[in-house]
Amino acid sequence: MQGYVDCHCHISAGDFDKDVEEVIENSKKAGLLALLAVAEHSREFEKIIELSQRYPGFIFPCLGVHPVQEVSPEQQRGACLQDLDAALPIIEKYKDQLVAIGEVGLDFTPRYVKSDTDKENQRLVLIRQAQIAKELDLPLNVHSRSAGRPTIQLLKEQGVKKVLLHAFDGKPSVAMEGVKAGYFFSIPPSIIRSEQKQKLVKQLPLENICLETDSPALGPEKQVRNEPKNICVSAEYISKIKGVSLEKVMELLVNASRVHISHRPIGGHVNRSRADV
């Protein structure tokens, strides 16, 4: 079955509470076969599991602690190990249902990071979650804003093999370090308005690219709610940049996506990914 896989989506976000059924139905009509629901903090873990049970074989759960944590709607800070403490028992509880640990990573944006201690706290949180992913033989779904090189370097040092770097904002030359390590990069619909993403896709091998929407963020229009149905925007633009047919892009990118949904049914089939070989 040909279609799309959204490798990074915040379907549990409050933006979708009022119309999630319609959002899911519209995404299926747009050709979406599955989406990976990523978490940012432990408070939404149960909601993601509930959604995956409500839409079995379509929504696949990823649990993890994001490098930026919300103190209040007006204030965010870098993650620390205390944020992970609340998450670990829930990850353990649902470990057999997970397809990845995420969203995890590093975010060195100045407004979140005030000192080297803040950076080190984020590193410790990522290292622990990398260890969990290796223990459970699961991929990491990774955020790396303003921290592309440090993130890739840390993951390599930790011996992590299964990695998806979402909405990578670094230089193509840095991304190629990840390609050499066997990592994958997912591209959101905002590529149509991002020169950086366009340059990134030009350099990345098609075999190392996946699709994402990062819904409700990073849509084709700035400050307009993004939805999983916009996954086709990413695919069509990648097809244009790479100069290959949309059908070829769909085939290669869905195969790459299966690295992140090992042994899980998509479109009626059980996938055996390259990560399982």
Side-chain angles (χ1 to χ4, degrees):
M1 180 180 291
Q2 195 171 49
Y4 305 107
V5 176
D6 187 344
C7 284
H8 186 103
C9 175
H10 296 272
I11 196 66
S12 61
D15 304 66
F16 298 122
D17 284 350
K18 293 182 179 179
D19 62 346
V20 67
E21 291 186 10
E22 182 180 355
V23 169
I24 295 299
E25 186 60 32
N26 287 340
S27 70
K28 290 180 178 179
K29 289 178 181 177
L32 201 66
L33 301 176
L35 65 84
L36 274 64
V38 297
E40 293 189 340
H41 48 76
S42 60
R43 298 184 301 280
E44 64 179 327
F45 284 9
E46 296 286 353
K47 186 176 183 181
I48 286 175
I49 295 297
E50 187 275 328
L51 284 167
S52 71
Q53 294 171 345
R54 186 172 164 188
Y55 299 98
F58 185 77
I59 293 181
F60 295 86
C62 311
L63 303 184
V65 173
H66 191 281
V68 176
Q69 294 293 296
E70 186 175 271
V71 177
S72 70
E74 296 80 28
Q75 183 182 2
Q76 290 82 38
R77 58 164 174 79
C80 60
L81 286 173
Q82 285 76 13
D83 299 311
L84 192 55
D85 289 342
L88 294 178
I90 311 176
I91 292 174
E92 176 64 24
K93 178 180 179 181
Y94 293 112
K95 63 183 180 182
D96 293 334
Q97 299 180 42
L98 303 182
V99 297
I101 300 297
E103 172 180 3
V104 305
L106 300 177
D107 192 317
F108 291 167
T109 306
R111 67 178 177 273
Y112 306 133
V113 174
K114 306 300 183 184
S115 67
D116 288 342
T117 300
D118 292 338
K119 291 183 178 181
E120 183 60 21
N121 285 336
Q122 286 191 29
R123 289 190 186 97
L124 292 173
V125 172
L126 177 54
I127 288 170
R128 181 69 189 104
Q129 293 186 103
Q131 292 169 343
I132 293 168
K134 288 197 296 182
E135 291 165 7
L136 299 178
D137 193 27
L138 290 173
L140 279 177
N141 203 302
V142 179
H143 171 108
S144 58
R145 187 162 52 194
S146 300
R149 180 170 276 114
T151 301
I152 290 173
Q153 187 60 39
L154 185 150
L155 295 173
K156 289 165 63 177
E157 289 172 355
Q158 293 299 310
V160 183
K161 303 298 184 184
K162 303 178 184 180
V163 173
L164 176 77
L165 289 144
H166 107 91
F168 190 76
D169 71 352
K171 296 179 179 179
S173 59
V174 176
M176 293 307 294
E177 296 176 18
V179 169
K180 291 176 183 177
Y183 299 164
F184 291 78
F185 295 78
S186 55
I187 307 299
S190 60
I191 185 175
I192 69 170
R193 54 184 176 85
S194 170
E195 185 178 351
Q196 180 268 334
K197 295 290 183 295
Q198 294 164 15
K199 289 180 178 179
L200 182 66
V201 166
K202 285 179 182 178
Q203 292 293 319
L204 288 172
L206 197 52
E207 294 78 6
N208 290 79
I209 297 176
C210 295
L211 299 175
E212 68 160 293
T213 62
D214 197 31
S215 302
L218 298 187
E221 298 180 74
K222 198 170 186 178
Q223 296 182 329
V224 175
R225 186 184 77 164
N226 191 18
E227 296 184 24
K229 70 178 182 181
N230 290 326
I231 197 77
C232 56
V233 174
S234 298
E236 290 166 0
Y237 209 88
I238 291 168
S239 170
K240 177 183 175 181
I241 290 175
K242 289 298 193 183
V244 297
S245 69
L246 181 59
E247 290 74 21
K248 185 66 173 177
V249 168
M250 292 171 72
E251 176 188 350
L252 287 174
L253 271 55
V254 168
N255 284 338
S257 301
R258 287 170 175 167
V259 170
H260 309 286
I261 315 180
S262 307
H263 305 293
R264 303 289 185 176
I266 296 179
H269 301 284
V270 175
N271 300 313
R272 304 288 178 178
S273 76
R274 286 173 288 183
D276 303 316
V277 177

